[in-house]
């Protein structure tokens, strides 16, 4: 009997041991990032990780997806136009960029919730009061006197909806569509959400009420909808989370933002973006759908360490992660273009041209997806042992382990007619009508369309290590880091820039070339008609580059991805989801500015919109109506920083040698701000007779006088150009920028001297 008991105990212990090992092993292999909160913006998405740090991806035109290393302990996020605002666990509010920090009131604390959609922010305090800042064009920042005891707030497009503790709702601001006309008798509400011209209320019984604009059906709550636990509205659509973890959507569906994935379940949080939707699942992963124009719809469960990027036409941008494709931009998936039906897993590499996607798997087989107009996706059934691939416009090329080449698809220019004696090939390149092959001996062979001499390989070309093809030209990268380009016209725009060297990678679009240098920087040249040779200032630490028809993608050394076209367009950004933030010692530079006009109150529109530039870091922000500005996450600089202060009609001012310290550097105060002098109308850095003449020419003109009124001559912004503006000029007559205290060392102990100078 004792032996049986001991045997049973031993079996149980062994089973428990192996069960623990299995769980441990599963935890080791399951590397998906876990998130606890999400927020969707107009063209980007942000999320808080379990460790309290954030990541953001999508449109990065204003660096709104770049996360400062010291932004942590986060509780909630809100995305506005060009910025992300974060609520911290301690009840304070910060932003990840200067645009978001612009108007955050100083000493803001005890915040329990934040909301933002366009260019203003509202926050709920512990005591149930609401505070707002930012654009107030429709008085959305003017809190009604009877709005108190608030439980939650939601910012729409220029209007705000607030839920009070008694279950009633208040709304104010822009009311063009009746979005602020709360239905009579509405009560027992437990949550609110505001969209573009409409408002949503979730009642205690799990039903939803909507009012305001209904041009896209955003107020057509689905019949029978119940058991709703949360709602989210933005743009022109609504998401509703049900108690069973499923999601319902209605409203505008032009970008499939309401096309909820059929298998989506176990959802615990939702966030509606401008034209996309995001859901957080109980396992901490994120699912998103809708518009992909800026890469805002990355799903976290499909993203690991990013190993490569590939850019096709405007609709097709891909990253390779976990040996599989993650489509991140637009992502056509209509009846003729089904990438989802292709097994793009266990990949070694991919190649993309236009809408054609070719993948080489680790086992040496090839998969292909796209429109298949010319059989470019009809991979030969017996094709195996492949070591390299190239996707052309509507045709495909593969190199086998034995060095032979096979091509299929469109053959209008003989681009698929592989030379019979071609062998010992290690790489191929393809574009629209011609094909290149690089041989083991470093020589190049070309065939197909030769209308521009793109197949006329230069005599003696050798020691080549990489090749690439454009529409009417061919490119070779030599082992010594130099580049050779050939077509009919050697003096064309494709001519290699003088002195270009140390190149380690090349990539081509239809009409231009981008070279990645050993130092991680890029050089671009070619046809620049549409600014396709644009490279963002300061771009460095690039690991890989891929040029598409309209957009360039780069993979950086830190594992993040950047996509760009030309300056005025959105910049795509995908973070390294697995990176950990290393805290850095950074500082703040803040202060108060004001026009030198007697009698201004502490808050005045004259104090707002003063441009403050942190010169060395090329960062700028604008003051709020208290004249306050704040730069966060400023690194130490032994040489000090320069602030450049400008406002139209005022004399530019620079403050030098600002050295931030642990207590922060505050320049001026609310009571004694730094002054700027009015009167430099013509921006010649002096206030003189020329400025008075410009004012005299429009004397007594007011803002209602059609196109005659010019605001920078109305120095006191009273909507009329009159004697008061002349007096302001007279007060500072013959002063120049050098009359400011330019070279004084500013620290917290010497500010008073500046104040005294400004007030004399």
């Amino acid at each position: 009997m004792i032996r049986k008991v001991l045997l049973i105990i031993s079996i149980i212990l062994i089973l428990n041991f192996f069960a623990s090992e299995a769980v441990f092993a599963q935890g080791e292999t399951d590397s998906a990032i876990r998130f606890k909160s999400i927020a969707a913006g107009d063209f980007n998405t942000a999320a808080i990780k379990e460790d309290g740090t954030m990541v953001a991806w999508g449109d990065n035109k204003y660096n709104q997806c770049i996360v400062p290393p010291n932004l942590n302990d986060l509780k909630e996020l809100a995305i506005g136009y060009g910025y992300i605002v974060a609520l911290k666990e301690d009840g304070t509010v910060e932003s990840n960029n200067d645009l978001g920090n612009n108007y955050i009131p100083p000493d803001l604390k005890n915040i329990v919730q934040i909301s933002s959609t366009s260019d203003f922010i509202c926050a709920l305090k512990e005591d149930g009061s609401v505070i707002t800042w930012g654009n107030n064009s429709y008085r959305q920042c003017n809190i009604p006197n009877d709005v108190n005891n608030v439980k939650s707030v939601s910012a729409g497009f220029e209007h705000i909806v607030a839920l009070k503790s008694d279950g009633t709702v208040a709304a104010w601001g822009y009311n063009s569509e009746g979005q602020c006309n709360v239905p009579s008798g509405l009560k027992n509400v437990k949550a609110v959400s505001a969209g573009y011209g409409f408002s949503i209320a979730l009642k205690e019984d799990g039903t939803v009420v909507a009012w305001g604009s209904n041009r896209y059906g955003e107020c057509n709550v689905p019949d029978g909808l119940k058991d709703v636990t949360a709602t989210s509205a933005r743009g022109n659509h609504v998401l509703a989370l049900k108690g069973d973890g499923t999601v319902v959507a209605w409203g505008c569906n032009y970008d499939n933002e309401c096309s909820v994935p059929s298998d989506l379940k176990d959802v615990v949080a939702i966030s509606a973006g401008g034209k996309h939707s995001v859901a957080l699942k109980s396992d901490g992963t994120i699912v998103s759908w809708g518009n992909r124009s800026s890469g805002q719809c990355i799903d976290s469960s499909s993203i690991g360490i990013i190993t490569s990027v590939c850019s096709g036409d405007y609709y097709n941008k891909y990253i390779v992660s976990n040996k599989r494709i993650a489509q991140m931009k637009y992502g056509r998936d209509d009846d003729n273009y089904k990438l989802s039906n292709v097994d793009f897993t266990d990949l070694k590499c991919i190649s993309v041209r236009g809408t054609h996607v070719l993948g080489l798997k680790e086992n040496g087989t090839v998969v292909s997806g796209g429109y298949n107009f010319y059989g470019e996706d009809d991979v030969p059934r017996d094709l195996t042992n492949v070591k390299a691939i190239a996707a052309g416009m509507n045709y495909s090329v593969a190199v086998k382990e034995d060095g032979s080449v096979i091509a299929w698809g469109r053959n209008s220019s003989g681009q698929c007619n592989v030379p019979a004696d071609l062998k010992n090939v290690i790489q191929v390149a393809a574009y629209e009508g011609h094909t290149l092959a690089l041989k083991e001996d470093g020589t190049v062979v070309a065939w197909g369309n030769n209308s521009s001499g793109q197949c006329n390989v230069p005599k003696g070309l050798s020691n080549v290590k990489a090749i690439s093809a454009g529409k009417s030209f061919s490119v070779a990268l030599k082992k010594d880091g130099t580049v050779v380009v050939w077509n009919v016209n050697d003096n064309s725009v494709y001519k290699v820039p003088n002195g270009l060297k140390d190149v380690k990678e090349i990539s081509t679009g239809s009409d231009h070339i981008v070279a990645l240098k050993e130092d991680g920087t890029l050089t671009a040249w070619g046809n620049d008609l549409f600014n396709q040779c644009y490279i963002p200032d300061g771009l460095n630490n690039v690991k890989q580059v891929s040029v598409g028809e309209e957009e360039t993608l780069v993979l950086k050394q830190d594992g993040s991805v950047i996509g760009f076209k030309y300056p005025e367009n959105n910049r795509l950004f995908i973070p390294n989801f697995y990176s950990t933030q290393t805290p850095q010692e950074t500082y703040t530079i803040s202060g108060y500015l004001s026009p030198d006009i007697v009698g201004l109150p502490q808050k005045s529109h004259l104090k707002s919109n003063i441009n403050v530039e942190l010169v060395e870091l090329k960062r700028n922000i604008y003051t709020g109506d208290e004249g306050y500005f704040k730069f966060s996450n400023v690194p130490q600089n032994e040489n000090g920083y320069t602030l450049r202060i400008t406002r139209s009609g005022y004399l530019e001012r620079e403050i030098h040698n600002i050295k931030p310290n642990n207590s922060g550097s505050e320049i001026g105060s609310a009571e004694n701000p730094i002054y700027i002098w009015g009167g430099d109308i013509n921006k010649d850095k002096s206030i003189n007779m020329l400025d008075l003449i410009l004012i005299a020419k429009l004397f007594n003109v007011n803002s209602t006088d059609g196109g005659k009124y010019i605001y920078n001559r109305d120095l006191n912004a009273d909507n009329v150009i009159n004697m008061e503006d002349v007096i302001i000029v007279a007060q500072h007559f013959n002063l120049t920028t050098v009359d400011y205290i330019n070279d004084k060392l500013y620290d917290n102990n010497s500010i008073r001297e500046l104040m005294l100078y400004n007030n004399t």
Side-chain angles (χ1 to χ4, degrees):
M1 183 66 180
I2 294 175
R3 288 182 178 180
K4 288 183 179 180
V5 172
L6 291 173
L7 179 61
I8 291 171
I9 292 173
S10 299
I11 292 172
I12 292 173
L13 289 173
I14 291 171
L15 288 174
N16 282 338
F17 172 78
F18 282 108
S20 298
E21 286 293 301
V23 171
F24 177 77
Q26 182 180 6
E28 286 291 302
T29 58
D30 185 4
S31 59
I33 296 295
R34 301 287 184 261
F35 296 95
K36 66 177 184 178
S37 181
I38 54 174
D42 288 338
F43 292 99
N44 45 27
T45 304
I48 300 175
K49 297 163 74 171
E50 285 186 331
D51 63 2
T53 61
M54 68 170 276
V55 290
W57 56 98
D59 175 22
N60 197 39
K61 184 177 181 180
Y62 298 102
N63 289 321
Q64 62 265 49
C65 292
I66 305 301
V67 181
N70 297 331
L71 192 59
N72 48 32
D73 297 323
L74 304 183
K75 178 182 179 181
E76 184 182 13
L77 302 173
I79 304 180
Y81 182 75
Y83 61 86
I84 300 174
V85 179
L87 171 61
K88 303 189 72 172
E89 292 287 354
D90 63 3
T92 60
V93 175
E94 290 188 23
S95 178
N96 66 326
N97 68 358
D98 294 325
L99 189 61
N101 277 321
N102 221 9
Y103 301 119
I104 295 178
D107 302 321
L108 184 66
K109 57 185 178 180
N110 300 324
I111 303 300
V112 295
Q113 188 215 336
I114 53 174
S115 182
S116 180
T117 56
S118 53
D119 51 4
F120 73 99
I121 303 164
C122 59
L124 176 63
K125 301 190 73 173
E126 284 181 351
D127 61 5
S129 61
V130 177
I131 185 169
T132 61
W133 61 94
N135 179 27
N136 195 30
S137 300
Y138 297 96
R139 299 187 177 182
Q140 64 268 34
C141 292
N142 296 347
I143 313 299
N145 293 331
D146 60 346
V147 173
N148 48 42
N149 297 319
V150 175
K151 289 176 60 178
S152 68
V153 290
S154 180
F157 180 76
E158 316 300 6
H159 82 289
I160 297 175
V161 182
L163 170 62
K164 302 180 73 172
S165 58
D166 62 1
T168 61
V169 175
W172 64 95
Y174 194 38
N175 196 33
S176 62
E177 305 287 343
Q179 59 265 47
C180 295
N181 298 337
V182 180
S184 177
L186 181 63
K187 59 183 179 179
N188 298 324
V189 175
K190 69 175 183 179
V192 290
S193 189
Y196 191 105
F198 68 99
S199 303
I200 299 290
L202 171 61
K203 301 189 69 174
E204 291 285 354
D205 62 4
T207 61
V208 176
V209 177
W211 64 96
S213 172
N214 197 35
R215 66 185 63 185
Y216 297 102
E218 51 267 64
C219 289
N220 294 339
V221 180
D223 292 339
L225 181 64
K226 58 183 179 179
D227 192 30
V228 176
T229 59
T231 59
S232 179
R234 189 163 180 147
N236 299 108
H237 76 293
V238 186
L239 301 179
L241 173 61
K242 300 189 67 176
D244 61 2
T246 61
V247 176
V248 177
W250 65 93
C252 182
N253 197 34
Y254 287 171
D255 291 272
N256 295 317
E257 58 265 54
C258 291
S259 300
V260 181
S262 58
D263 58 348
L264 183 63
K265 59 182 180 179
D266 301 325
V267 175
V268 295
I270 51 175
S271 185
K275 296 181 179 180
H276 73 293
S277 302
V278 184
L280 175 65
K281 300 184 67 174
S282 58
D283 62 2
T285 59
I286 293 172
V287 177
S288 52
W289 61 96
N291 185 290
R292 296 173 177 264
S293 61
S294 296
Q296 64 266 48
C297 281
I298 288 291
D299 292 343
S300 68
S301 60
S302 66
I303 297 296
I305 300 299
I306 299 171
T307 54
S308 66
V309 294
C310 214
S311 182
D313 71 1
Y314 186 69
Y315 295 93
N316 293 277
K317 305 289 178 283
Y318 304 91
I319 58 178
V320 175
S321 175
N322 292 330
K323 295 186 179 182
R324 60 182 177 179
I325 278 184
Q327 190 176 28
M328 64 182 180
K329 185 157 185 181
Y330 267 119
R332 293 171 174 169
D333 201 23
D334 58 34
D335 292 338
N336 297 316
Y337 190 78
K338 284 286 187 182
L339 288 184
S340 56
N341 294 338
V342 182
D343 182 21
F344 283 110
T345 61
D346 196 31
L347 291 173
K348 184 177 181 180
C349 66
I350 64 171
S351 180
V352 181
R353 278 295 184 193
T355 62
H356 177 38
V357 185
L358 201 61
L360 173 58
K361 306 192 78 168
E362 290 284 0
N363 63 4
T365 60
V366 175
V367 290
S368 184
Y371 280 115
N372 202 27
F373 289 142
Y374 297 92
E376 60 266 36
D377 293 333
D378 298 333
V379 181
R381 292 185 179 181
D382 59 349
L383 183 60
T384 58
N385 299 318
V386 175
K387 66 178 180 180
I389 55 172
M393 290 289 192
N394 305 119
Y395 74 104
S396 305
V397 188
V399 182
K400 301 191 68 173
E401 289 288 352
D402 62 5
S404 62
V405 175
I406 184 171
W408 64 96
R410 189 177 188 182
N411 196 31
S412 57
S413 300
Q415 60 265 48
C416 291
N417 296 338
V418 181
D421 59 347
L422 184 63
K423 58 183 179 180
N424 300 325
V425 174
I426 58 174
Q427 183 195 344
V428 284
Y431 193 77
E432 189 171 53
H434 78 290
T435 307
L436 304 177
L438 173 61
K439 301 183 68 174
E440 287 179 351
D441 62 3
T443 61
V444 178
V445 177
W447 64 94
N449 182 8
N450 196 33
S451 60
S452 297
Q454 59 265 53
C455 291
N456 296 336
V457 180
K459 291 182 179 180
L461 180 64
S462 60
N463 295 317
V464 175
K465 69 174 183 178
I467 51 176
S468 190
K471 184 176 182 179
S472 60
F473 61 92
S474 301
V475 186
L477 172 61
K478 301 189 69 173
K479 292 178 180 178
D480 63 1
T482 60
V483 176
V484 177
V485 179
W486 63 94
N487 71 349
V488 168
N489 185 0
D490 291 335
N491 294 317
S492 70
V493 292
Y494 307 118
K495 185 177 180 180
V496 180
N498 291 332
L500 181 64
K501 59 182 180 179
D502 299 326
V503 176
K504 67 176 183 179
E505 184 181 329
I506 50 174
S507 184
T508 54
S510 171
D511 296 304
H512 73 295
I513 306 159
V514 177
L516 170 59
K517 301 183 68 175
E518 291 288 350
D519 63 3
T521 61
L522 299 178
T523 298
W525 70 98
N527 188 338
D528 198 28
L529 181 63
F530 299 105
N531 295 305
Q532 56 264 57
C533 294
Y534 162 71
I535 304 294
D537 291 340
L539 181 61
N540 53 27
N541 296 320
V542 175
K543 182 179 181 181
Q544 185 229 330
V545 60
S546 178
V547 178
E549 301 313 297
E550 299 184 37
E551 189 167 9
T552 299
L553 293 180
V554 298
L555 173 62
K556 299 195 68 178
Q557 293 289 350
D558 63 5
S560 63
V561 175
I562 295 174
F564 51 89
K565 282 179 64 179
Y566 33 90
E568 63 269 24
N569 274 54
N570 296 342
R571 295 185 187 177
L572 176 150
F573 177 80
I574 307 296
N576 179 354
F577 286 84
Y578 290 80
S579 66
T580 56
Q581 297 177 13
T582 302
Q584 298 178 4
E585 190 172 16
T586 60
Y587 307 91
T588 62
I589 296 176
S590 61
Y592 291 83
L593 307 175
S594 175
D596 187 17
I597 297 176
V598 177
L600 286 183
Q602 186 166 334
K603 285 188 176 183
S604 169
H605 66 284
L606 281 172
K607 295 182 179 181
S608 64
N609 294 315
I610 299 173
N611 184 34
V612 188
E613 180 185 357
L614 193 55
V615 175
E616 288 77 7
L617 299 182
K618 296 182 179 180
R619 292 165 56 180
N620 74 291
I621 54 178
Y622 291 86
T623 56
D625 59 7
E626 292 184 350
Y628 182 73
F629 70 91
K630 178 181 177 181
F631 290 100
S632 299
N633 299 294
V634 178
Q636 185 60 270
N637 181 2
E638 292 182 359
N639 297 321
Y641 288 101
T642 298
L643 284 182
R644 181 176 295 137
I645 304 165
T646 57
R647 182 175 185 170
S648 184
Y650 282 73
L651 192 63
E652 177 184 302
R653 178 169 200 162
E654 286 191 355
I655 301 176
H656 295 271
N657 302 321
I658 300 172
K659 295 183 178 180
N661 52 46
N662 290 330
S663 60
S665 294
E666 186 164 278
I667 311 301
S669 65
E671 296 76 20
N672 294 294
I674 298 293
Y675 289 103
I676 54 174
W677 300 331
D680 185 13
I681 310 298
N682 64 353
K683 299 181 180 180
D684 64 355
K685 297 188 177 182
S686 66
I687 300 171
N688 52 37
M689 186 58 69
L690 294 176
D691 301 301
L692 276 176
I693 291 172
L694 290 173
I695 289 179
K697 287 181 177 180
L698 296 180
F699 198 74
N700 281 336
V701 171
N702 60 54
S703 59
T704 62
D705 290 337
K708 295 181 179 180
Y709 175 83
I710 301 177
Y711 74 95
N712 73 339
R713 302 180 194 183
D714 183 9
L715 298 176
N716 63 349
D718 62 354
N719 295 317
V720 61
I721 301 168
N722 54 22
M723 187 56 68
E724 291 186 16
D725 303 301
V726 174
I727 292 172
I728 291 172
V729 175
Q731 286 176 333
H732 309 116
F733 198 72
N734 279 338
L735 292 177
T736 69
T737 54
V738 298
D739 290 311
Y740 287 125
I741 308 177
N742 257 352
D743 295 317
K744 187 172 181 61
L745 174 65
Y746 286 99
D747 57 37
N748 290 333
N749 295 321
S750 62
I751 292 299
R752 288 297 168 191
E753 297 178 33
L754 175 66
M755 299 303 119
L756 292 172
Y757 178 89
N758 279 329
N759 286 307
T760 58

